[in-house]
Amino acid sequence: MKSKTLAAWLAFLFGIFGVHRFYLRGIKDPWGWLHLPFGLAGIVGLMRYQNLGQNDLWAWVLMPVFGGVLGAACLTAIVYGLMTREKWNAWANPGAPADALHGRTTWWTFMAIALSLMIGAAATLSSFALSFKAYFQNQVEAGRRISQDY
């Protein structure tokens, strides 16, 4: 029996690595493995941004990857947490009664939903904002160099 609360917390805490997919669908889930390279690329972008600053090309290319993957993981946690008990048990626990306790929403589920909403929105928006800021600053500098040549 798969717990809705545990799946929501796994998606929130370790969703960028696909752990929630492995919990629900097993280790052979191809979508779970697809999370791993994008999650690692996003972390590399975040580390490059912290170590090399926003002028690093790969930092501002990979920062939106981090925000997108983290935002998708948080959105998944929200979707899991907001599923009705009947829908969760039909989807994640086939063969179980529709009102099985593993699909119930508890305060822990609600906390995972609230934190996913806060962290996911903040991470997604700020990573895209930082990346676009660096992109447009580079465009302005390139425009100045071109205008000084003429």
Side-chain angles (χ1 to χ4, degrees), residues 53-98:
Q54 67 183 7
N55 291 331
D56 180 53
L57 172 68
W58 285 107
W60 62 263
V61 168
L62 293 176
M63 281 293 289
V65 173
F66 176 74
V69 171
L70 184 59
C74 288
L75 180 62
T76 302
I78 293 168
V79 169
Y80 288 169
L82 292 178
M83 274 191 196
T84 63
R85 181 186 295 196
E86 295 80 16
K87 188 174 180 179
W88 176 264
N89 287 323
W91 179 71
N93 300 316

Side-chain angles (χ1 to χ4, degrees), residues 1 7-8 16 18 28 36-37 72 76-77 84 86 99 111-112 114 128:
M1 299 288 284
I16 63 172
K28 293 183 180 179
L36 195 59
T76 302
T84 63
E86 295 80 16
D99 61 346
M111 301 247 321
F128 281 99

Side-chain angles (χ1 to χ4, degrees), residues 1-8 23-24 88 93 101-104:
M1 299 288 284
K2 307 294 184 192
S3 167
K4 176 170 72 168
T5 302
L6 180 58
Y23 170 68
L24 293 171
W88 176 264
N93 300 316
L101 292 178
H102 292 288
R104 71 176 184 241

Side-chain angles (χ1 to χ4, degrees), residues 33-42 65:
W33 287 106
L34 193 60
H35 283 74
L36 195 59
F38 289 103
L40 291 174
V65 173

Side-chain angles (χ1 to χ4, degrees), residues 67 70 116-128:
L70 184 59
S116 294
L117 184 59
M118 289 187 313
I119 303 291
T124 303
L125 293 175
S126 61
S127 68
F128 281 99

